[in-house]
């Protein structure tokens, strides 16, 4: 139910970063970290589009989520890049 709801949110709001972040969180909770990373990367791209390189707390939230999923996959070096 949570996955279907999150996927629907992305379908309805494809340019809203929080929709992608929420989907990524659901996917990560389900253990699908590869797909979660894709969602987090989309969320990050949308935030960078909106804020550029300016610091923003939501960017930090997404970077943390990306790093956590990379670590879950054993990609420790990649997790440090975020």
């Amino acid at each position: 139910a949570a996955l279907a709801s999150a996927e629907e949110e992305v379908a309805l709001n494809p340019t809203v970063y929080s929709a992608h972040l929420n989907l990524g969180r659901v996917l990560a909770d389900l253990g699908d970290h590869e797909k979660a990373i894709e969602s987090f990367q989309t969320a990050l791209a949308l935030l960078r589009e909106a804020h550029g390189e300016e610091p923003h707390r939501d960017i930090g939230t997404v970077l943390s989520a990306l790093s956590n999923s990379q670590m879950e996959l054993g990609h420790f070096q990649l997790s440090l890049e975020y």
Side-chain angles (χ1 to χ4, degrees), residues 48-67:
R48 294 273 190 225
E49 218 174 272
H51 299 287
E53 293 301 317
E54 291 296 314
H56 193 278
R57 71 173 181 190
D58 294 337
I59 292 173
T61 299
V62 174
L63 290 173
S64 176
L66 266 167
S67 179

Side-chain angles (χ1 to χ4, degrees), residues 8-20:
E8 182 178 357
E9 184 182 1
V10 167
L12 293 172
N13 303 293
T15 61
V16 176
Y17 91 91
S18 59
H20 294 277

Side-chain angles (χ1 to χ4, degrees), residues 5 11 13 29 34 38 49 59 62 66-68 72 75 79:
S5 178
N13 303 293
D29 287 346
E34 289 183 9
E38 291 175 19
E49 218 174 272
I59 292 173
V62 174
L66 266 167
S67 179
N68 289 339
E72 286 294 328
H75 301 156
S79 74

